[in-house]
Amino acid sequence: MKKFLFLSVLFASLLLVFSACKKEEPKTVNPVSQFVYDGLSTYYLWADEMKSKEPTAGDMDPKTYFKSVLNATDTENGWSFITDDVESLLAGFSGEPVDFGFSLAFAYANEAKTEYVAIIKYVFPNSPASNAGLQRKDMIGKINGQPVTESNYGILYGSAAANFTTYKNSGSGLVADKTITLTPASIRTDPVLYTNIYNIGGKKIAYLFYTDFIRNYNQSLYDAFTTFRQAGVTDLVLDLRYNHGGSVISAIYLSSLITPETKVRNKSPLIVMNYNSYLNGIFDKNKWSRTDSLGVYEKPDPDPVAANLNLNKVYIIATSDSYSASELTTFCLKPYMQVVHIGGNTGGKYTASWTLHPYKEEINKYPVVNIYSEASLKADEKDKLKNWAMQPIVAKYTNYKNEDFSNPGYLVPSYALAEGNGYVSNWTQIGDTKDAFLGQAIYLITGDESYKPKQNIPVSRIKASESASVRLSNPNDAAKEAVILDYNRLPKNMLK
């Protein structure tokens, strides 16, 4: 018994010795998770909250770690995000995504509200959707033979070929029409989708349907406004009903085409960016401006003064489907001119974001903010980091008077209306004067009551449900989450 006890103690002692002598495996932090921390702890609007959230060796999934450290308000609104495909992200920002080429709303297709119908809001020309004959108001009820649900609707925004079954109103309900196969392609999403000039009641009314704020297409804005100016338009209706926002450069450029010309020539302030206290302190200490002004543009864009309409009033169509740069434009124009907002409460995005990359300052000619110098990284480190980027909230914007709309958090219309009285069957084609929003604007401009919206009896009961649209949002729609600060005006080595 004593011998057994002695051997047991000896074995335990040797085990402790061997354990102590065994070299511990090094525990390293995932470099992408470290990039998340380093970027957010410097640039994030809520950077102060990052102090106790450094990554550990257990934070091996950067996306999970990223979500876990976000501010509660940010998480609730779904503003900031991370991607492992930075080139696709920036292709979308640049207006050249791989896409089917349609923009969608959703409505419930069954009483249980588990199935949906996707309704086409508009189609970009020369896209797979337009080439297949799809157009506004067409409805997609099946994807690869299956009903549209929360588990498969992402295919509508995917990068793989798919079969879509379209439906039409039969009078008593929706019936299947045809099945088409679409393959996504690289397309040009010029946001100046439709323009017109209406000569009504002695007025020349310019109309612009603008889908997104994309800096690569500022020339299209300039061309449209040059046409308006040469025609001697007296009024402007700017339709942002489905515009989810985007580039702050485009927002400034568009505003510079609309506002009184003297304000543009004088480079009057339009927007003030408020960053976290650390960045604000650096900007203010060094007298670096946090203000963006009218009339400031970046070449090769033409000088907006040459196409400026010199207006004192503008009619803007904006709805719950209008976000970020759409809201910025609507709100920040108000100190300089009368803004008549027609539609509904806007989506509510009063923040701004930068694209943060681990070490690049530019990707495919698109400016990004780098966290590390490229020279400081080894080849294997760059390889692990190269495809990653973050789009965190870095600022809240105000107009030049330092006013914002964070309370109530959205813009309230001057004239509240629902498109088609809330029914898809009452939607008109873009630019049709029977459209409720455009008709209201024409009525306000001319006083002609024949254009005043009337309560239409719906052909069917299909409604574009706001709650469904929110739940089935485009997972690739980064512009919707915040105004994109698509300039890198940070002075070199500002944080050194």
Side-chain angles (χ1 to χ4, degrees):
M1 183 67 180
K2 289 181 179 179
K3 184 177 181 181
F4 176 79
L5 182 61
F6 170 78
L7 289 174
S8 297
V9 171
L10 178 63
F11 178 78
S13 300
L14 289 172
L15 188 62
L16 285 172
V17 170
F18 286 131
S19 297
C21 294
K22 186 178 179 181
K23 188 177 181 180
E24 287 190 10
E25 292 293 327
K27 293 183 178 181
T28 58
V29 174
N30 184 306
V32 182
S33 296
Q34 188 64 50
F35 154 65
V36 169
Y37 176 79
D38 292 339
L40 295 185
S41 61
T42 302
Y43 294 109
Y44 193 38
L45 182 61
W46 299 278
D48 289 346
E49 298 180 10
M50 295 297 299
K51 292 177 181 177
S52 61
K53 298 179 180 179
E54 288 191 57
T56 67
D59 294 309
M60 294 306 296
D61 183 350
K63 293 183 178 180
T64 300
Y65 170 68
F66 177 84
K67 291 179 181 178
S68 73
V69 299
L70 294 181
N71 168 269
T73 299
D74 193 359
T75 300
E76 180 183 350
N77 287 279
W79 288 334
S80 298
F81 63 91
I82 188 171
T83 180
D84 58 2
D85 188 359
V86 63
E87 293 203 358
S88 293
L89 172 70
L90 299 183
F93 288 169
S94 300
E96 296 183 359
V98 174
D99 202 84
F100 292 117
F102 45 50
S103 179
L104 303 172
F106 291 87
Y108 294 116
N110 63 351
E111 291 296 326
K113 297 184 178 181
T114 57
E115 297 177 3
Y116 302 86
V117 59
I119 307 146
I120 295 178
K121 297 185 289 188
Y122 58 85
V123 176
F124 285 106
N126 303 313
S127 66
S130 68
N131 293 339
L134 292 177
Q135 58 186 336
R136 176 170 163 81
K137 292 179 64 175
D138 282 348
M139 291 177 279
I140 297 172
K142 287 187 177 180
I143 302 171
N144 294 328
Q146 300 300 313
V148 180
T149 64
E150 291 186 37
S151 62
N152 70 357
Y153 86 96
I155 295 172
L156 292 161
Y157 302 106
S159 57
N163 297 322
F164 301 126
T165 302
T166 62
Y167 282 69
K168 62 182 180 180
N169 283 314
S170 66
S172 58
L174 294 179
V175 295
D177 183 23
K178 59 185 177 182
T179 298
I180 58 175
T181 300
L182 293 184
T183 301
S186 179
I187 63 173
R188 289 176 56 82
T189 55
D190 187 337
V192 181
L193 193 63
Y194 180 87
T195 63
N196 205 344
I197 298 174
Y198 307 93
N199 292 283
I200 302 172
K203 301 285 189 177
K204 285 191 174 183
I205 305 168
Y207 173 79
L208 167 63
F209 183 82
Y210 192 52
T211 65
D212 302 273
F213 287 75
I214 304 176
R215 63 182 293 184
N216 285 359
Y217 296 100
N218 285 353
Q219 180 70 52
S220 294
L221 281 174
Y222 180 86
D223 293 342
F225 276 77
T226 296
T227 299
F228 294 158
R229 177 166 170 151
Q230 290 174 347
V233 299
T234 57
D235 301 272
L236 172 67
V237 180
L238 174 60
D239 195 338
L240 305 175
R241 73 181 71 186
Y242 305 135
N243 191 311
H244 289 181
S247 163
V248 70
I249 289 177
S250 291
I252 297 165
Y253 197 79
L254 176 58
S255 299
S256 299
L257 293 166
I258 298 171
T259 48
E261 186 175 326
T262 56
K263 302 299 182 183
V264 182
R265 289 189 180 278
N266 293 337
K267 305 291 190 292
S268 300
L270 181 68
I271 313 160
V272 179
M273 291 294 168
N274 293 288
Y275 304 99
N276 63 46
S277 58
Y278 174 59
L279 289 182
N280 278 348
I282 292 177
F283 271 86
D284 297 345
K285 178 181 177 181
N286 291 280
K287 295 181 170 51
W288 296 328
S289 177
R290 292 187 284 112
T291 299
D292 290 301
S293 299
L294 292 164
V296 175
Y297 64 100
E298 298 191 1
K299 292 186 176 182
D301 296 336
D303 187 342
V305 169
N308 174 269
L309 297 185
N310 194 30
L311 298 173
N312 291 307
K313 180 187 288 188
V314 63
Y315 298 82
I316 297 181
I317 297 170
T319 67
S320 61
D321 210 11
S322 307
Y323 295 88
S324 82
S326 291
E327 295 169 294
L328 181 152
T329 302
T330 304
F331 184 73
C332 292
L333 283 176
K334 289 181 178 181
Y336 292 118
M337 61 195 308
Q338 184 179 352
V339 176
V340 181
H341 172 182
I342 298 169
N345 294 344
T346 57
K349 305 296 182 187
Y350 46 87
T351 51
S353 68
W354 275 319
T355 303
L356 304 186
H357 187 265
Y359 58 88
K360 291 288 187 182
E361 295 182 11
E362 184 179 271
I363 298 175
N364 297 330
K365 298 183 179 180
Y366 197 94
V368 297
V369 176
N370 63 314
I371 304 304
Y372 316 116
S373 74
E374 188 167 358
S376 69
L377 299 174
K378 298 176 182 178
D380 63 321
E381 292 174 322
K382 290 195 291 185
D383 189 60
K384 293 175 182 177
L385 293 166
K386 65 182 180 181
N387 294 324
W388 289 86
M390 293 185 287
Q391 199 74 33
I393 298 304
V394 300
K396 288 183 179 180
Y397 65 82
T398 68
N399 63 23
Y400 86 92
K401 295 182 177 181
N402 289 314
E403 299 167 334
D404 65 27
F405 58 94
S406 58
N407 183 13
Y410 50 82
L411 300 179
V412 178
S414 313
Y415 296 89
L417 294 170
E419 184 172 20
N421 297 316
Y423 292 89
V424 175
S425 55
N426 289 335
W427 287 8
T428 65
Q429 293 304 310
I430 298 299
D432 190 325
T433 58
K434 294 184 179 66
D435 170 63
F437 298 145
L438 178 55
Q440 178 69 28
I442 294 174
Y443 163 65
L444 293 172
I445 293 168
T446 66
D448 188 335
E449 294 216 3
S450 67
Y451 292 95
K452 191 174 182 180
K454 300 176 177 61
Q455 186 72 32
N456 296 324
I457 299 173
V459 175
S460 75
R461 302 299 292 179
I462 294 291
K463 297 187 73 172
S465 168
E466 183 177 342
S467 60
S469 296
V470 171
R471 292 172 67 189
L472 301 186
S473 59
N474 182 350
N476 304 321
D477 189 5
K480 176 181 175 181
E481 306 310 338
V483 177
I484 298 167
L485 302 182
D486 52 344
Y487 48 56
N488 188 354
R489 294 180 184 163
L490 296 176
K492 295 292 183 183
N493 302 318
M494 66 169 284
L495 301 179
K496 301 300 183 186

